[in-house]
Structures are given as structure tokens and as C-alpha cells.
Amino acid sequence: MKLTTRNGEIDLPLDFSLTIERANPLLSDQGDASVPVTLPSSPRNLAALGHIERIDRAKAYPDKAEAILEVGPIRKRGQIVIDTAHRRDGIVAAFAVDSGDLYAKAKAKTLKQILDEYDGGKGYRQSFDGNMDIAYDAMESVYLDTDRDADYVLFPVAVSPYEEEQGGAKVKKYQYNNAVVQGCLISGGTVYEDGELVAVPDLYGLAPFLKLSRLVDILFECLGYTMADSCLWRYHYAQMAIVHNCSDCLCNPSVTLYYKDLVPSCTFGEFLTWLADKFMVRPVVDSESLTVRVVSMEDMLWQGPDADISGLVEGDWTVQPVPTRRVVLTPNNSLEGTEPAAETFDKLMEKYGNYGFINEAEFHSIGLPDSDIRGGLKLRKASGQFYMVQPDPNNPTRQTAKLLGTNHFRYDRANSEETEEHSPADVMPLMVVGSKGETTPYIGERSHAHTSYNGSTADEKQDIIVVQYVRSAATGPSYPVYRTTGTTQRYVVNANGTSYFDFSIGLVPYDLYDFCWRKYNTLLLNAAPHLKGRVRYTVGQLLGADMTRLKHAGGQPLLPVSLSATIGAKTGTAEAEFVLAKAFADGVEDQPLNPGSIPYVWTYTTNAENVAERLWQEILADHTPSTDDGVISDELEGYSFTVHYDEQPYPSVPTTPGQTEVIAVAATFTIHYVRHIEYDEGYLPPESHIDMERTIPNQSVNFTFTAVPA
């Protein structure tokens, strides 16, 4: 075993070993690392690690050092993380690899710091050559959807409310970043600050928002990694953006867009924790190739196993029963006006039984003599607000709408012994309605990075706020049409007050549960047991095992939890822990609540089996029936496939029983088969049964959806 730093090789004892502990990154935020060991305090080691044992150092004391671990032909890049150093007693340190390497380098850095350090401290940026006209044209081309390749999008967001006298009463109004007049972005002019009307410079109020997927890609680029694959590139994540309150992103002397002004004031570790708590996604790092994949738990449980470890397991599993648990998702409703109509959706339904949907035109008709909206609980689709429509106490012949609260419910079905709590840090925006019926997210008070007012400080704290966005090609001569619009809801309303898009999900817990948490929660709810045992992994298999893919053992799918093994002078088998990730005959699952006006749900079937059979026949047609030594025959073992969600994978809400819809999506198939070789008499075969597989990309799979009663 060799451990080498930039300053030279580390002296290791002849009997030196490391115990490496690996964890599924979706189930842990600790990263992969060795158990701490004591390195000799040799002159070479003390020098390689910067002489941190000395108290007369002039420079700051490092707590880590980049290093390369070599065990035979296996090579891993990582970090030596130093705990203590003593001139005589040794250096206590651990070796962090992959995710552990990433966390050791960047977990405590802020996003702003990471972006600011890029390019030798010049920062990650977009320059407009000091020209305000070029900067404005770039912003408008993104907003008008003529530039889809930008890292960011623009759409109006409400900020900094103020009060205005109207008819002797004070009326609450909102100001806007990315405000639109006659279909064009406006900037500069005047804004209200602390009740005063203040003149602001050109480009003030233009606020591009980084696409969520691009922000993650850029952060890893700044840290020296290449993104190999990311679930965030695909629907629905691909239509999400991180919004912010900064109004003067472009109001600097060089007219440069600094990306550090567009990101939350959190650390990299806090941001990764937010991704996990919001969407159950995490990065998977290969510290040797310096590549990253961003993976989701739902995809992990959807995909088939990538390896059969049956022959590597020593003895029997220790089966550890666990109590039933459930996922609880708690949104951040700290922004004024975002309080939900009840603690959970279930409790709202316990009280009211059912509800109906109303669009903006129907909402505004409530109280009019010819309104056909009747009483009861109604969800205002565009704003995500629940109202009780009831007789107007001042005119019982007409209706009035009483606001109960938003649909920002806590997801908690109260159906297990224990809970697994997830409280994502992002602040839920309030959807507010403009003068023409358009809806925009309200995200709080505006902040400033480059300007100040009456001594206000720049670079104020920025919360994480995420919305999804949609582009519209609609036009209109007499009103501003929002070409790009942001929302947390499923329904989007343009500046004419008409709904023109229906997302398959909203960014509220009850919608995100179906998209991000359902399969994982079903494992917890069915008390899927943990299995512990020993697996004869080689050093290469231990360090190279994909902890984000299921494994097979004895025909059962296993979800990796952790691996621990000693390598070096005392190399041994790995201690492994898995979750038995299968469906149980008496299994249970959270049933969707669908008491609204559309009492149908989708069931679906796929033609994946037919596609796999066709591919198998093509493989059979290609195989060679014999060799000089014997006869070959191939036997199908099974198949797996991975769907590429480059488009919407599910149809919109069903409206009639028996309704069908077919959606074709691209997929990669892996055909698993066994090759049997019947050798000629007298020839001693090295192996007569060989496990084979063939991977075939770009195959079309049909999902046939059928509406059935809920």
C-alpha cells in the first residue's frame, strides 16, 4: 500500500492497514472515508503534511492534504484529513475518498465563496463588455425565449410590498423584479424603499435566475469536477430555477453578471442537504476520474440491480427487523401569507370531505349575480389557495369567498410507528395575483449586492427559494403576456388571466411525495428489514461498487446501506448492510387522497417485455452456433431497462373512466443471458456456463395509461 501527497510519499508501517467505510450517499451525508489511523511521526511524514506539529509556523495550519492511495493496481484520489499531530506520538488522520473527498474539500464553503474563487478569484461571471444595451438585450432574449441555452431564465417575481391609498383605504401592492410592460422587460426608474419613492439606475430590477440543474453543474465545475450524468437534467427538475431577491445584479461599473449574486447564502453542505430533503437526490463522486453523477432515490428503486452478489456472500444473513416508519415532509412556510389551510391535507379533508377547482375567471365571478359557482371548499388553481365559498352575510342571495390558507401542507399520513422527518430549507413563496389576473411568486424583501439606500448594507442573506418555470409563445397586442412564468403550483396563468399550462406536479409536499418519495416511503412503511453479512469483495470491488444501484442476492433485490472492509496488510471480507427492497405480498402503500372534482386515477402498463423479447431475438440471430471446440447455445435470464425522462412521463389529470393515453419514452435495455458451451469430447473446458449481458440504448417504450375510479 502507498499513500502519496503532493509533498511526497507517506511512510507507512509494514503491517499498515486501512478500514474503509462506504455509505449509500442517499442514506448518509458523511461521505466515504477510512477509520482514523495513526501515521508515524517520521521526518518525511511531518514534512509531507506541512509540519503542523510545530507551534512556530508562520502560515495557517492545514487540516487536510490531497493524496493518492494505491493498493496493488487499485488507485484512489482523496484527502488525508488530519485530526491531531504530535512530534513523538504520531499523526492521527483519516483518508477520505469519493463523496468523502468532496465533503472534505468543499462542504463548509459557501456557494458564493465557491463561485467567487473561480478563475483565480475573478469569479464565475458573464461579461457584457461594459455595455448596458448588450446586457439588456441578453436578458430580454432569455425572457422572450429566443435564447434557451443560457444558464438562467427571467420571469417576474413580486418583492417588497407597500401600501397605497385608494378610495380612502390602504391597499397592499407589490413591486416586481423583471417587471413587464407591453411584453418587454423594464428596468430602472423608481421604487419604494421604506415608504419613500427612490430613483434607481438603469438595469435595476433585472434579476436572472439560475436553472437548478445549471447551478449544480456550475458548482461542481468550479470545484474541479465534470458532470457525467444528472437526474436534474431531466423532467421535472429541468424546469426548476433558484430565485433570489437581488435587484441590482447588473448595476456594477463593469456591467458584469456575477453568479455569486444569484445564489443562496448557504454552505455547499447545506445546499446538498437541501437537495436531499426536498427531492431525495444527492451527488455521487468518483474522486479518481473527478466526475459526478446526481442520482435520485426514486430512480435507484426504479432501476433494476446492477450486480448479483449471491456467490460472494459468506454464510447466512443476519436479518434485523425494524419498526414501521414513514416519510414526513415539512415545508418552510415562514414567509407571510403562506400558512396552509390545515396542518395536513388529510385533516382538511376530515373537516370538509371534498373540494372543487376554480380558475381565475371563476374566482372573480364569485359574488356576481350570474355566477354559477356554488358553495363549498374550492382550490384556486393558479395561487394554490383554498377558499370556502359561502353565502355573503351582506347579501345572502350571492356568494363570497373566505380565504382558508395555502396548499403548502405538511405531508404526514400518521400511519406508522416511527417517522423520518425531512424539512427542506427553502422558503415557500406565496403566489400573488396581479391586476390582470396573472400570478407571480412573492419572494420577500428585495436585497442589494452593488447599491445601497440610506446606508443599507449590501450582500444581505439570501434564502433558498425554488420555483418551476414555463415558457409561452402566446402573444397579445393590448396586454403584457408573460413569455416566461414561474410558480410553485401545477397551474400557470398568464397576464390575460387565462390558464395556459398544467404541470404534472407542483412544488408542494403532497405533489413532491408522488414524484420523489413514494417508493422509498413504501419500503419504510412495510418495515423492510435490514440484512447484515459478509461479502467477499476484492479491494477493487469494494472501492468501485456503485452504492446507488440495487444488488441481487438469492433472487432478492437489496438496497445498499454501507460497506466496511480492511485493506492492506490485513485485507478481509467486507461487512455489508442492505435493505431488502422488494414488494411484499401483504404490503401497504400510502393511498392518494383524491376527493376533488375529478375522481379518477391513472393505472398503466408498458410494452417493455415485448421490446425485450424483440431485442433477445435479435441477439439470438447474431450469435455463433458453434466453435472449433464445441456447440454454443444462449439462454435468456431476464432484462432491465432505464427510462430517460427527456419528456413528460405521465399524462395530465384523467377526466372520464376508461380514458386512455399512450406516451412513448426513450429507454436503455440490458438483456441478461447465460451462454452454454457443450465442448467436444476430450476437451477440458475452462468454463461451460458464462454470464452474459448486452446493453442496447435508444429503445422506445410505450406507457399505456388507463383511467380508473379512485
Side-chain angles (χ1 to χ4, degrees):
M1 179 185 294
K2 291 175 60 178
L3 193 57
T4 308
T5 72
R6 289 182 176 179
N7 296 327
E9 185 177 338
I10 298 293
D11 288 329
L12 301 176
L14 291 177
D15 61 348
F16 185 77
S17 297
L18 280 177
T19 298
I20 300 291
E21 295 183 337
R22 302 197 58 207
N24 186 327
L26 288 159
L27 300 174
S28 171
D29 60 359
Q30 298 304 308
D32 301 340
S34 74
V35 172
V37 294
T38 300
L39 303 173
S41 293
S42 67
R44 183 159 67 170
N45 286 358
L46 294 173
L49 298 177
H51 282 294
I52 61 171
E53 84 288 356
R54 293 172 51 179
I55 64 172
D56 59 346
R57 279 179 55 92
K59 294 183 178 180
Y61 286 75
D63 63 349
K64 59 184 72 73
E66 293 186 5
I68 295 174
L69 173 68
E70 294 177 82
V71 185
I74 307 303
R75 185 175 184 273
K76 269 290 183 182
R77 189 190 308 271
Q79 299 273 325
I80 296 176
V81 182
I82 304 164
D83 183 32
T84 61
H86 190 277
R87 192 184 302 272
R88 184 185 64 251
D89 295 342
I91 304 160
V92 178
F95 184 70
V97 295
D98 296 337
S99 297
D101 175 36
L102 168 69
Y103 295 155
K105 289 190 293 188
K107 193 172 184 178
K109 289 187 176 183
T110 66
L111 304 193
K112 294 180 183 291
Q113 182 182 358
I114 291 171
L115 294 168
D116 204 26
E117 291 174 349
Y118 182 75
D119 195 14
K122 297 177 183 178
Y124 207 101
R125 65 205 179 278
Q126 181 179 1
S127 174
F128 302 102
D129 299 324
N131 190 309
M132 289 192 293
D133 291 336
I134 294 177
Y136 175 84
D137 290 345
M139 297 302 109
E140 184 153 86
S141 66
V142 172
Y143 167 71
L144 293 177
D145 198 24
T146 58
D147 179 7
R148 288 199 170 192
D149 295 327
D151 297 330
Y152 47 80
V153 290
L154 284 89
F155 46 83
V157 293
V159 295
S160 299
Y162 66 98
E163 291 184 335
E164 192 174 85
E165 290 280 348
Q166 284 189 3
K170 289 187 176 181
V171 178
K172 186 176 184 178
K173 292 196 170 184
Y174 293 92
Q175 302 177 85
Y176 293 87
N177 281 341
N178 305 319
V180 177
V181 171
Q182 295 300 315
C184 296
L185 290 169
I186 62 171
S187 71
T190 58
V191 299
Y192 282 99
E193 290 280 4
D194 298 329
E196 297 183 33
L197 204 57
V198 180
V200 292
D202 288 340
L203 302 183
Y204 187 94
L206 295 186
F209 306 128
L210 288 170
K211 300 169 185 175
L212 173 61
S213 60
R214 281 298 298 144
L215 171 57
V216 174
D217 291 356
I218 289 168
L219 288 171
F220 280 106
E221 177 186 342
C222 292
L223 292 170
Y225 295 87
T226 299
M227 191 65 68
D229 187 34
S230 174
C231 64
L232 302 179
W233 294 343
R234 296 181 276 279
Y235 197 89
H236 297 273
Y237 301 114
Q239 287 184 260
M240 297 181 191
I242 299 293
V243 301
H244 60 85
N245 308 68
C246 186
S247 296
D248 61 355
C249 306
L250 293 163
C251 297
N252 56 74
S254 61
V255 194
T256 297
L257 181 63
Y258 293 100
Y259 282 28
K260 67 178 180 179
D261 297 334
L262 314 183
V263 299
S265 308
C266 63
T267 66
F268 186 61
E270 290 168 341
F271 184 72
L272 296 184
T273 297
W274 167 73
L275 281 174
D277 281 333
K278 186 76 171 183
F279 306 114
M280 198 53 162
V281 305
R282 278 196 183 273
V284 180
V285 176
D286 185 326
S287 56
E288 180 57 31
S289 64
L290 294 180
T291 57
V292 179
R293 295 179 296 120
V294 179
V295 300
S296 76
M297 176 61 80
E298 289 297 280
D299 284 349
M300 182 179 181
L301 294 174
W302 169 274
Q303 295 172 336
D306 71 339
D308 190 335
I309 63 171
S310 300
L312 303 177
V313 178
E314 290 188 349
D316 294 326
W317 295 105
T318 297
V319 180
Q320 180 182 11
V322 296
T324 60
R325 288 187 294 159
R326 68 184 185 277
V327 167
V328 175
L329 308 174
T330 304
N332 182 344
N333 288 320
S334 60
L335 199 61
E336 181 184 1
T338 59
E339 298 83 0
E343 182 183 0
T344 67
F345 185 49
D346 305 64
K347 291 186 177 180
L348 186 72
M349 290 301 98
E350 286 176 12
K351 183 173 182 180
Y352 295 103
N354 57 55
Y355 69 96
F357 297 96
I358 51 175
N359 60 32
E360 288 304 287
E362 292 169 328
F363 176 78
H364 290 292
S365 76
I366 296 172
L368 299 178
D370 57 348
S371 174
D372 59 358
I373 302 299
R374 296 296 176 258
L377 184 66
K378 308 294 181 184
L379 175 63
R380 189 176 178 182
K381 293 163 62 174
S383 68
Q385 292 169 306
F386 278 95
Y387 290 83
M388 176 53 64
V389 177
Q390 54 197 13
D392 187 337
N394 299 316
N395 187 348
T397 64
R398 298 185 184 181
Q399 303 280 359
T400 187
K402 177 186 177 182
L403 175 63
L404 300 181
T406 67
N407 62 351
H408 301 177
F409 303 109
R410 169 184 168 95
Y411 185 92
D412 184 358
R413 304 304 290 271
N415 55 355
S416 69
E417 299 171 65
E418 297 182 1
T419 62
E420 183 174 304
E421 304 265 350
H422 294 272
S423 302
D426 60 305
V427 173
M428 291 292 294
L430 175 68
M431 297 304 299
V432 299
V433 182
S435 60
K436 297 183 180 296
E438 74 281 7
T439 52
T440 54
Y442 165 60
I443 61 174
E445 297 293 331
R446 58 169 98 246
S447 63
H448 307 89
H450 304 284
T451 60
S452 63
Y453 163 71
N454 282 356
S456 61
T457 58
D459 195 24
E460 298 175 25
K461 182 180 183 296
Q462 174 63 55
D463 293 310
I464 303 174
I465 307 174
V466 61
V467 302
Q468 50 192 353
Y469 63 89
V470 62
R471 299 177 170 102
S472 169
T475 59
S478 60
Y479 54 83
V481 174
Y482 287 177
R483 299 295 184 92
T484 308
T485 307
T487 184
T488 58
Q489 301 300 312
R490 290 184 54 182
Y491 304 95
V492 174
V493 176
N494 65 11
N496 197 33
T498 58
S499 175
Y500 67 89
F501 193 82
D502 178 1
F503 288 96
S504 293
I505 65 166
L507 294 184
V508 296
Y510 269 79
D511 277 354
L512 288 176
Y513 171 81
D514 283 324
F515 183 55
C516 304
W517 298 92
R518 178 172 291 280
K519 292 181 182 297
Y520 177 62
N521 184 63
T522 300
L523 284 184
L524 302 183
L525 205 59
N526 287 281
H530 285 226
L531 307 181
K532 296 181 180 180
R534 303 188 69 84
V535 181
R536 294 192 307 275
Y537 275 134
T538 65
V539 174
Q541 288 172 324
L542 170 71
L543 296 176
D546 188 345
M547 298 293 288
T548 64
R549 289 293 301 272
L550 299 179
K551 314 300 175 190
H552 255 154
Q556 304 300 316
L558 307 180
L559 171 66
V561 176
S562 64
L563 287 174
S564 176
T566 299
I567 60 176
K570 301 176 182 178
T571 297
T573 57
E575 295 181 4
E577 181 175 355
F578 297 91
V579 174
L580 187 58
K582 70 175 184 179
F584 298 97
D586 56 350
V588 295
E589 184 178 14
D590 279 0
Q591 296 302 311
L593 287 176
N594 194 22
S597 57
I598 304 176
Y600 308 106
V601 295
W602 290 114
T603 61
Y604 70 87
T605 57
T606 78
N607 69 334
E609 186 172 353
N610 294 336
V611 175
E613 177 60 29
R614 172 178 58 80
L615 297 174
W616 173 238
Q617 294 302 323
E618 293 173 3
I619 292 172
L620 284 179
D622 287 343
H623 95 284
T624 304
S626 63
T627 70
D628 293 338
D629 302 317
V631 178
I632 295 174
S633 63
D634 292 336
E635 178 184 4
L636 178 65
E637 285 283 286
Y639 70 92
S640 59
F641 68 101
T642 302
V643 173
H644 309 300
Y645 294 117
D646 295 324
E647 55 187 288
Q648 183 176 337
Y650 296 102
S652 56
V653 176
T655 56
T656 58
Q659 176 184 350
T660 61
E661 188 164 346
V662 179
I663 293 180
V665 295
T668 295
F669 276 74
T670 302
I671 307 298
H672 307 277
Y673 59 101
V674 176
R675 172 154 292 177
H676 303 283
I677 305 178
E678 185 176 341
Y679 291 93
D680 293 336
E681 185 176 356
Y683 180 79
L684 183 63
E687 191 173 6
S688 59
H689 301 276
I690 305 172
D691 289 329
M692 306 282 288
E693 67 177 28
R694 183 84 61 85
T695 298
I696 306 101
N698 300 321
Q699 301 299 307
S700 179
V701 178
N702 290 336
F703 284 72
T704 302
F705 292 85
T706 305
V708 298

